[in-house]
């Protein structure tokens, strides 16, 4: 921080430093890895299956859907990448620093697993192509395959070879990708040119619709093809190795999507015009989808130079596996450095000056080898599709939360982003998951949700959390909407303000308030203190300390509410001003709750009386809490809440509070008894009938008991409710106005009762609403 010529302070922000390993640009670090991953095994081994089973039009729809999902996801990813400094960890780093470790961890682990499984997927494709070419009938390979799991052994050997290249470091892997890209592009040119020269209009016309002999469904083929569109995070996963990730990730990824979309579009159209549908795909005897090299052979026949397709499939599958081998360990390494889970820190350590994630690379190797021995190409493709879809859905959801939340800090340099597009991407991913396989979708969602909730609440001062901004945006909108609505008794809810001079001393008052709120309204604890000799700054420091202490009390007793404190020169003198300002628009307290001090504390009683007198003009409901002699029995089963009827006005609020208390977990299955005293037989019959009808009309499950007696009501209350767990009595306005005299008169009664609430209603609550 420095001073300019006018004496004003100027804040100089430190320029973000890239690590020493940042050495790749847009083409080498993003475009090429994305293209090599996208133009992978599906292009050579399964695109023909899609056309052969569902026809040209549906194949184009599948391509459009897959590219739409990945394009929307890339736009979301680009917005996040251009709104924050990006370091090692790619998508995980960006999301975790935007929405917190819960979202970031869920996406990070999902992407790590999907990319580790992808290694096996691409190598299985390579092996299938290899054996399709060299393991014909009678060959040595076919004879070996009859006696040994030769394909699995070959796949394992190939994975170990790629592992060796990756283990040497990203520099070696990046240098290898350029000759691989050259071979791949030569192969693509070969089959596109060959397809154009061999194009047959009759085949093209016949292949427009679905194959009538096929029983493979549209969504099964979508799941099979979708891995062809994945790979968009291959560049983002190299974020720590990029010179300018905020520039390279959006440009390189979108360019790769556009380029590969054109390649797949031309391939699908040309394959539809090359041969009969039965020759383009692999079919079971019943017309289903079969693991087999038929689509690859069709592409070889279509190519201008057949061996180029062979070289291309080898290059594509191995390069895609290489890209996944580079990306997956870096995600896990970043998560390990953040120590999200116990034991994960082991994988955060890097090797050498480039901080190569060798430990995470070994784990990726182990996962890939296990997958090779568990499933074939089609089965693994569906699993990969599910994991990538849920990862992409969460990326879109993250961007939606940022965009819709309207945080001023969300200022992405990528201008093609809008939150409706992010929402559409998230919904599209969810729909596609369910359509592919409901069971897989549910399992994948449960796994992601489990990770999210396991990490929920973990945070760091260095991490952002845009969820708070989204919640603020929704809260703001709801408050403005609430402001324009007319209050109605049917929508009455308790907005309780617990007023205290010492929350530590009155923790049972806070607990009791939570019973009356019971998750249906709002509860705030306001501690007011007098500090006449201190200046404002000192009083604010005390206020901060008080709020933290009250929050601790709320947390300790599992009370959901707000903590607040006011430190003023004179609590009684300034109380009315405090309560006047204690609101946001129309959302202000409607119920005041205070405790009755013990008889010996006459000074405290006097202060409470002065506070009630100061707040009388506000017209609030008033609840006085008096702890009782049997508080220790409240945890027993079969609890009872006794409500002594005190006229329609007070009775409505008493009954509502009793109902709300019974909704609280502390009072679950409690019995509510509604008692009323009358002095004659005529009153007894009328009161019993009217009370029963009133409770039925109010839809309250209570036991009505009308007591016929000439004895003092206080004696009846002690006799009937002395062993209850909670007692509710009514108040008159003069009882509150003359608080000290009232509680002095009632002390003999209250001393003989369990915890007791004395309630004065302002008439807003209506039992029959």
């Amino acid at each position: 921080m420095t001073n300019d010529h006018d004496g004003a302070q100027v804040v100089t922000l430190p320029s973000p430093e890239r690590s020493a390993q940042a050495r790749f640009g847009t083409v080498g670090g993003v475009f090429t890895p994305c293209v090599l991953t996208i133009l992978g095994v599906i292009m050579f081994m399964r695109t023909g299956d899609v056309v052969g089973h569902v026809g040209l039009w549906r194949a184009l729809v599948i391509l459009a859907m897959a590219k739409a999902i990945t394009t929307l996801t890339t736009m979301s990813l680009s917005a996040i990448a251009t709104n924050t400094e990006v370091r090692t960890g790619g998508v995980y780093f960006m999301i975790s620093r935007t929405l917190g470790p819960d979202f970031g961890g869920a996406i990070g682990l999902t992407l790590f697993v999907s990319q580790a499984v992808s290694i096996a997927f691409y190598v299985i494709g390579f092996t299938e192509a290899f054996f399709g070419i060299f393991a014909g009938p009678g060959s040595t390979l076919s004879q070996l395959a009859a006696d040994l799991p030769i394909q699995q052994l070959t796949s394992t050997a190939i994975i170990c070879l790629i592992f060796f290249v990756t283990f040497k470091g990203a520099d070696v892997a990046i240098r290898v990708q350029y000759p691989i890209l050259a071979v791949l592009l030569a192969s693509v040119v070969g089959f596109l040119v060959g397809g154009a020269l061999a194009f047959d209009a009759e085949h093209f016309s016949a292949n427009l619709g679905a194959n009538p002999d096929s029983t493979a469904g549209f969504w099964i083929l979508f799941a099979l093809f979708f891995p062809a569109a994945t790979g968009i995070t291959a560049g983002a996963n190299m974020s720590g190795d990029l010179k300018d990730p905020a520039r390279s990730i959006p440009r390189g990824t979108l360019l790769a999507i556009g380029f590969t979309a054109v390649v797949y579009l031309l391939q699908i159209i040309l394959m539809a015009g090359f041969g009969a549908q039965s020759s383009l795909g692999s079919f079971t005897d019943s017309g289903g989808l079969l693991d087999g090299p038929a689509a690859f052979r069709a592409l070889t026949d279509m190519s201008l130079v057949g061996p180029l397709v062979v070289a291309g499939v080898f290059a594509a599958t191995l390069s895609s596996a290489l890209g996944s081998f580079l990306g997956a360990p870096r995600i896990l390494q970043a998560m390990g450095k953040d120590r999200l889970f116990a034991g994960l820190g082991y994988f955060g350590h890097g090797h050498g000056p480039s901080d190569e994630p060798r430990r995470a690379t070994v784990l990726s190797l182990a996962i890939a080898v296990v997958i090779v021995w568990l499933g074939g190409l089609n089965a693994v493709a569906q699993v990969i599709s599910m994991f990538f879809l849920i990862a992409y859905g969460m990326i879109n959801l993250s961007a939606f939360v940022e965009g819709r939340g309207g945080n001023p800090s969300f200022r992405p340099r990528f201008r093609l982003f809008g939150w409706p597009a992010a929402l559409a991407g998230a919904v599209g991913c969810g729909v596609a998951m369910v359509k592919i396989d409901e069971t897989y979708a549910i399992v994948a969602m449960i796994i992601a949700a489990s990770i999210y909730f396991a990490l929920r609440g973990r945070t760091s001062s260095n991490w952002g959390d845009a969820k708070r901004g989204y919640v603020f945006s929704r809260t703001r909108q709801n408050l403005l909407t609430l402001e324009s609505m007319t209050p109605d008794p049917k929508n009455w809810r308790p907005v309780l303000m617990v007023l205290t001079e010492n929350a530590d001393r009155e923790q049972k008052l806070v607990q009791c308030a939570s019973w009356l709120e019971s998750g249906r309204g709002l509860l705030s604890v306001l501690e007011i203190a007098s500090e006449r000799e201190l200046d404002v700054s000192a009083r604010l420091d005390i206020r901060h300390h008080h709020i933290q202490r009250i929050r601790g009390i709320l947390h300790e007793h599992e009370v959901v509410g707000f903590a607040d404190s006011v430190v003023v020169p004179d609590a009684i003198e300034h109380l009315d001003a405090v309560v006047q300002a204690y609101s946001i628009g129309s959302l202000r307290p409607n119920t005041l709750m205070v405790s009755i001090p013990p008889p010996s504390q006459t000074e405290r009683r006097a202060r409470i009386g002065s506070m009630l007198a100061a707040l009388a003009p506000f017209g609030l409901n008033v609840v006085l809490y008096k702890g009782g002699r049997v508080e220790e029995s409240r945890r027993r089963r079969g609890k009872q809440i006794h409500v002594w009827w005190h006229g329609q006005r007070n009775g409505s609020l008493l009954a509502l509070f009793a109902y709300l208390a019974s909704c609280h977990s502390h009072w679950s299955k409690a019995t509510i008894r509604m008692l009323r005293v009358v002095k004659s037989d005529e009153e007894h019959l009328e009161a019993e009938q009217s009370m029963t009808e009133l409770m039925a009309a109010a839809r309250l499950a209570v036991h009505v008991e009308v007591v016929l007696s000439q004895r003092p009501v206080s004696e009846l209350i002690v006799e009937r409710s002395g062993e209850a767990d909670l007692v509710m009595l009514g108040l008159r306005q003069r009882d509150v106005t003359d608080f000290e005299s009232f509680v002095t008169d009632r002390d003999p009664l209250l001393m003989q009762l369990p915890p007791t609430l004395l309630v004065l209603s302002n008439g807003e609550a209506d039992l029959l609403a």
Side-chain angles (χ1 to χ4, degrees), residues 436-447:
I436 289 171
D437 190 298
E438 292 183 6
T439 303
Y440 278 8
I442 292 172
V443 170
M445 290 179 182
I446 289 175
I447 292 173

Side-chain angles (χ1 to χ4, degrees), residues 511-544:
Q511 286 181 279
C512 184
S514 72
W515 303 339
L516 303 187
E517 186 268 337
S518 195
R520 268 66 169 180
L522 290 174
L523 168 63
S524 63
V525 179
L526 174 61
E527 185 176 280
I528 187 164
S530 299
E531 294 290 349
R532 189 176 297 277
E533 303 300 326
L534 300 179
D535 59 16
V536 174
S537 179
R539 294 203 300 268
L540 287 176
D541 289 339
I542 295 174
R543 175 180 183 269
H544 176 74

Side-chain angles (χ1 to χ4, degrees), residues 15 30-32 66 148 153 180 210 237 240 261-262 279 281 284 314 322 327 336 347 414 621 623 635 725 745 751:
S15 58
V30 180
F31 175 78
T32 302
L148 296 171
L153 291 171
I180 291 176
N237 291 339
V262 172
S279 68
T284 63
F314 291 168
L322 183 63
F347 297 101
F414 182 75
N621 301 312
V623 179
R635 293 189 177 273
D725 297 281
D745 291 342
M751 293 292 289

Side-chain angles (χ1 to χ4, degrees), residues 378-431:
N378 291 348
V380 177
Q382 293 189 48
V383 174
I384 287 177
S385 294
M386 200 63 65
F387 274 103
F388 270 117
L389 279 168
I390 197 167
Y392 291 172
M394 294 180 72
I395 291 172
N396 282 300
L397 184 61
S398 302
F400 166 75
V401 170
E402 268 280 36
R404 191 71 179 93
N407 272 341
S409 63
F410 186 61
R411 303 182 300 275
R413 284 177 283 171
F414 182 75
R415 301 302 181 186
L416 298 179
F417 171 79
W419 67 260
L423 179 60
V427 172
C429 290
V431 171

Side-chain angles (χ1 to χ4, degrees), residues 112-404:
F112 167 72
V113 172
S114 60
Q115 295 213 333
V117 173
S118 293
I119 298 169
F121 172 71
Y122 298 128
V123 173
I124 291 171
F126 167 87
T127 306
E128 185 178 299
F130 181 85
F131 277 82
I133 297 168
F134 299 109
S139 65
T140 303
L141 282 178
S142 64
Q143 293 174 6
L144 283 173
D147 301 324
L148 296 171
I150 190 67
Q151 292 198 30
Q152 287 90 334
L153 291 171
T154 303
S155 295
T156 303
I158 297 298
I159 288 176
C160 291
L161 178 62
I162 301 172
F163 164 77
F164 175 77
V165 174
T166 309
F167 199 76
K168 296 293 290 183
D171 282 326
V172 176
I174 292 294
R175 286 198 298 269
V176 168
Q177 73 178 357
Y178 290 115
I180 291 176
L181 179 62
V183 174
L184 179 62
L185 293 180
S187 177
V188 169
V189 171
F191 70 68
L192 290 182
V193 173
L197 295 176
F199 190 83
D200 187 317
E202 291 185 8
H203 282 313
F204 182 80
S205 179
N207 293 340
L208 292 177
N211 189 334
D213 297 327
S214 173
T215 59
F218 175 88
W219 289 104
I220 294 297
L221 271 302
F222 175 84
L224 182 67
F225 181 81
F226 187 74
T230 62
I232 59 172
T233 59
N237 291 339
M238 299 293 295
S239 58
D241 300 274
L242 300 176
K243 296 176 182 176
D244 187 357
R247 174 187 173 91
S248 297
I249 290 173
R251 294 189 178 190
T253 308
L254 287 174
L255 186 60
I257 290 175
F259 174 74
T260 55
V262 172
V263 172
Y264 276 111
L265 175 65
L266 293 175
Q267 181 190 12
I268 290 171
I269 293 174
L270 293 175
M271 291 198 79
F274 176 71
Q277 284 181 311
S278 59
S279 68
L280 299 178
S282 302
F283 296 82
T284 63
D285 293 337
S286 61
L289 189 63
L290 178 69
D291 272 314
F296 169 68
R297 289 171 180 163
L299 198 63
T300 304
D301 294 339
M302 189 177 83
S303 177
L304 194 64
V305 183
L308 271 179
V309 174
V310 177
V313 72
F314 291 168
T317 52
L318 294 179
S319 64
S320 298
L322 183 63
S324 295
F325 239 135
L326 284 172
R330 282 163 171 75
I331 296 174
L332 188 64
Q333 182 187 37
M335 297 177 66
K337 289 181 177 180
D338 288 336
R339 300 183 180 274
L340 291 184
F341 293 103
L344 206 58
Y346 174 81
F347 297 101
H349 296 281
H351 177 79
S354 297
D355 198 33
E356 294 293 339
R358 289 190 171 180
R359 294 179 179 180
T361 303
V362 173
L363 180 61
S364 302
L365 167 70
I367 293 174
V369 171
V370 169
I371 296 299
V372 160
W373 289 87
L374 289 181
L377 191 66
N378 291 348
V380 177
Q382 293 189 48
V383 174
I384 287 177
S385 294
M386 200 63 65
F387 274 103
F388 270 117
L389 279 168
I390 197 167
Y392 291 172
M394 294 180 72
I395 291 172
N396 282 300
L397 184 61
S398 302
F400 166 75
V401 170
E402 268 280 36
R404 191 71 179 93

